[in-house]
Amino acid sequence: MSISRQNVETARKTGQEFRSGAVPISEHIEKTISGIQKEEPRNHCFVTLFEEQAHKAAIRVAQKLRSKEDCSLLAGVPVGVDDTMMTRGRRTTCGSGTLEHFIPTFSATAVQKLEDAGMIIVGKLNTDEFSMGSLTQTSFFGPTSHPADETRVAGAAAAAVASGVISCALASDTGGALRQASAGCGVCGIRPTYGAVSRLGLAAFASSMDQIGPIASDIRDCAEILNIISGKDPCDSTSVEIDKIDLSRIDSFSLSGLRIGIPSVFFESDTDPFVKASFHEALDALRSEGAVTETFSLKGLDQAVAAYAVISCAEASANLSRIDGIKYGFRAPEAKTLSEVYERTRSVGFGSDAQKRIMLGNYFLSAERYEEYYLRALRVKALIAKGFASAFRRYDVILSPVSPSLAPKKEPYDTLSMFEEDFFTVPASLAGLPAASVPCGKNPDGLSVGLQMIGPHFSEAKIVGAADAFLRIGGGQKTQGGQK
Amino acid sequence: MIRMTDIHEAPPEPASIGAEQIEYLEQLARIRLSGEEKERTARDLSKILDYIEMLGELDTEGVDPLSHPVTTEPVFREDKAVNDDRRDAMLRNAPEHKDGCFKVPKTVE
């Protein structure tokens, strides 16, 4: 057990200390990096540390602050970045053996925006191979350990934040990885509306659902980071301009009268009893503050995971065709002909889960199966999106647990059960909706449960308001005894 | 619960992946599996396909497929390069390169 959260300051407070001159940035960065190095052998959160670059950046940002240059509130704050996002001149592996030594020639827009805002990237966080998974089980570099139990897995961005070595991170979310990671480690995370954050420089897994978002122990830090990274990017034609979240208005957000919808299948699902109890307690807490809860039925939710599996594999098979051993990354050394280069590189380079998903994707997109699987999945997706749209005429937010189970053990995984773990998270991904994960319970062993708050497109401010109000009433702070 | 067979279109063949199909998929995916991997993959893929059969339980007649959930306007830009020249940096990532080009084995006999 190595959680020492009480010493962790919010990113905003750290930024304030830099601006006031109370703490020198270089010193803080040095402390952060040695803290990471100390915890790494146990936690295995980072794939690469940018020690030298971070020190240089610290000096640069400190200079900017001294000369009163325009800097964000988070200037100088150390941040970790999921290794599926490109960092110019600094190794980016995507958790894959195919890119073990890859050095990007540009930075992801979200990464660039963090650095423009003066945030300091201290390293790259472990990730499932090309994001295919949630809790680093498929990473080429091995899984990240859960902060509370070394025998269990965790999403690296959330584990690093939960263990206190960094206060915030950028993660990616396709079917729910960012939310799953946050829930499992008892921290906050927001998957923004599709298009709210540019995907340029995020290694494409399933392009119609991939999104970048923040993870932090504090929901307001998440909002602050989202404000930095969001917005239209000319290099991602699906990105859009969104209103920044006004943090000064969060205090006045009231839960009284908040209309909460809960899809009825979410109550019927096969969910861990502790997760269920925590979810019900969260609903009780919200109701006691005057929120109104109601169950409703949303057509297609039962089939959401199946639709997600089809669509994500189909898109992954197309996106990962670029891994061919020609332009970058690993090439199988023994290949003699061009087609051997392709085949051997992909056979040796990809992990078995990635291979299965690519093969499935090819199957779904093959001429004889396209209609039966791919188009049908897109129709289910349409029904789900429509269902949400009509539900949001009646509800402000839709709630569910984030994961049906507690953090899994480090054991051989199974692709189908990984899909099933995303039962609560894929609907928002399919519909492109923003969704936050906020802590709503912790069992006696320190394993956390997350509450998912889904809102209409571009309702990030409302979700943050509701999440913050929920946390203010202590929704996420209590440790439950496991009864109820 | 509606089963696949209740739907008025022709019921699809049982979704299980055999040895022949695995080879076809290996070809499509440009991935070669060893004998043991082939068996395990066939088993795993069949399990996933079994699960996915539930897509047929939902009546989607007349529903238009949705590819992108958030509609945006078509985006246009000038057809003008804005990148700086990063050829050397890019080539450094290539497994093999020669004279400023990616090098590949002989492609034509």
Side-chain angles (χ1 to χ4, degrees), chain A residues 403-421:
Chain A
S403 177
S405 48
L406 297 164
K409 289 269 188 192
K410 285 181 187 164
E411 278 165 359
Y413 54 84
D414 167 86
T415 306
L416 177 58
S417 40
M418 279 204 291
F419 279 132
E420 289 180 304
E421 284 293 300

Side-chain angles (χ1 to χ4, degrees), chain A residues 249-391:
Chain A
R249 293 180 58 185
I250 289 182
D251 273 332
S252 56
F253 190 97
S254 168
L255 291 169
S256 176
L258 186 76
R259 298 166 305 163
I260 295 171
I262 303 125
S264 42
V265 299
F266 285 176
F267 284 124
E268 296 149 16
S269 64
D270 186 16
T271 303
D272 176 274
F274 184 75
V275 173
K276 239 177 206 172
S278 302
F279 180 56
H280 281 284
E281 258 185 62
L283 293 180
D284 286 343
L286 289 161
R287 278 191 290 259
S288 71
E289 294 292 312
V292 185
T293 61
E294 191 178 289
T295 55
F296 69 103
S297 78
L298 204 161
K299 211 167 159 188
L301 284 190
D302 270 328
Q303 286 78 16
V305 170
Y308 170 80
V310 172
I311 294 166
S312 66
C313 288
E315 293 185 21
S317 71
N319 280 325
L320 293 177
S321 62
R322 65 174 58 123
I323 301 295
D324 59 4
I326 305 295
K327 301 178 291 301
Y328 42 73
F330 168 77
R331 177 188 290 183
E334 71 282 13
K336 299 268 182 327
T337 66
L338 187 62
S339 59
E340 270 180 31
V341 168
Y342 296 149
E343 257 175 21
R344 297 202 177 176
T345 296
R346 293 163 63 80
S347 304
V348 179
F350 284 129
S352 83
D353 185 71
Q355 289 179 340
K356 279 180 215 156
R357 295 192 199 218
I358 292 168
M359 291 171 83
L360 270 177
N362 279 298
Y363 181 76
F364 298 141
L365 292 176
S366 62
E368 57 274 29
R369 300 287 172 179
Y370 181 80
E371 178 90 23
E372 175 192 344
Y373 288 106
Y374 187 64
L375 280 188
R376 184 166 272 169
L378 291 185
R379 291 195 174 97
V380 171
K381 175 176 166 168
L383 281 177
I384 292 171
K386 211 173 126 207
F388 271 117
S390 96

Side-chain angles (χ1 to χ4, degrees), chain A residues 88 102-103 105-106 194 237 240 300 302-303 305-307 310 325-329 331 336 338-339 341-343 346-347 355-356 358-360 362-364 368-369 372-373 376 378-383 385 414-416 420 430-432 457, chain B residues 4 9 12-13 15 17 21-22 24-26 28-33 41 44-45 47-49 51-60 63-70 72 75 84 86 89-90 93-96 102-107:
Chain A
R88 184 174 187 164
F102 179 66
I103 310 287
T105 59
F106 69 103
Y194 186 79
S237 62
V240 287
D302 270 328
Q303 286 78 16
V305 170
V310 172
I326 305 295
K327 301 178 291 301
Y328 42 73
R331 177 188 290 183
K336 299 268 182 327
L338 187 62
S339 59
V341 168
Y342 296 149
E343 257 175 21
R346 293 163 63 80
S347 304
Q355 289 179 340
K356 279 180 215 156
I358 292 168
M359 291 171 83
L360 270 177
N362 279 298
Y363 181 76
F364 298 141
E368 57 274 29
R369 300 287 172 179
E372 175 192 344
Y373 288 106
R376 184 166 272 169
L378 291 185
R379 291 195 174 97
V380 171
K381 175 176 166 168
L383 281 177
D414 167 86
T415 306
L416 177 58
E420 289 180 304
L430 289 165
H457 292 139
Chain B
M4 290 300 293
E9 8 181 304
E13 297 154 42
I17 302 262
Q21 201 122 35
I22 277 290
Y24 173 57
L25 291 180
E26 285 180 72
L28 287 179
R30 298 267 193 180
I31 287 168
R32 281 266 163 253
L33 302 174
T41 305
D44 283 359
L45 297 196
K47 223 165 95 182
I48 295 171
L49 289 180
Y51 177 84
I52 286 171
E53 284 302 303
M54 69 163 74
L55 281 179
E57 291 167 9
L58 196 65
D59 181 10
T60 54
V63 179
D64 283 334
L66 174 72
S67 55
H68 277 266
V70 181
T72 49
V75 181
D84 45 11
R86 296 173 197 167
M90 284 161 132
N93 279 312
E96 278 191 82
F102 298 116
K103 193 177 165 202
V104 295
K106 199 166 154 188
T107 52

